[in-house]
Amino acid sequence: MIKETSTNNENRKTITLACPISFVLEKIGGRWKPIILWNLRDGKLRYSELKKAIPPITEKMLIQHLKQLEADNLVVRKVIEIMPPHVEYSLTEPGVELLPALNVLADWGIRNHSL
């Protein structure tokens, strides 16, 4: 957790507002968010399917990052009221708009993986 009134937090907010790249990285950066978004690129997935697609992620981290992505309007969570109930996740329109950028990042990563 970052202390809300810390200098570091104030600097982060200032940088995020001043730089669009920093804003995007604040929303999709980290170890797990890009992988979650990448796995949702082809359509909706159930929670269990996402977990299987990303074996090293803990349940705690998957839930935490899905909540953050949902709060940032990049992912939508839909509860399906059947027996037993299940939850599906999919990209929102802003999430879909990120796909070309993720594709460029993936291509760059493939080309430069040996750096």
Side-chain angles (χ1 to χ4, degrees):
M1 291 302 276
I2 298 174
K3 187 176 169 185
E4 192 64 30
T5 59
S6 71
T7 303
N8 186 35
N9 193 46
E10 291 300 318
N11 289 342
R12 184 184 56 78
K13 286 179 183 178
T14 301
I15 290 167
T16 300
L17 289 172
C19 176
I21 294 171
S22 293
F23 174 78
V24 172
L25 292 177
E26 179 76 19
K27 301 299 179 190
I28 69 165
R31 180 179 299 166
W32 302 114
K33 287 180 186 177
I35 297 169
I36 293 167
L37 293 169
W38 186 252
N39 277 282
L40 291 172
R41 74 191 181 279
D42 292 327
K44 59 187 171 188
L45 290 176
R46 291 174 59 172
Y47 176 85
S48 59
E49 294 171 321
L50 264 175
K51 180 70 177 98
K52 284 180 193 168
I54 315 168
I57 194 170
T58 65
E59 293 214 14
K60 177 184 175 185
M61 293 308 290
L62 181 55
I63 291 167
Q64 179 180 323
H65 288 299
L66 283 167
K67 284 181 180 180
Q68 290 171 357
L69 289 166
E70 187 179 10
D72 288 334
N73 193 35
L74 297 175
V75 168
V76 65
R77 178 183 189 267
K78 181 179 179 184
V79 178
I80 308 297
E81 297 292 341
I82 59 171
M83 281 313 225
H86 64 267
V87 177
E88 291 179 341
Y89 292 91
S90 58
L91 296 176
T92 61
E93 190 58 37
V96 170
E97 289 177 19
L98 281 170
L99 291 178
L102 292 176
N103 286 327
V104 169
L105 290 171
D107 291 343
W108 186 92
I110 290 165
R111 285 191 314 276
N112 295 284
H113 191 266
S114 64
L115 291 179

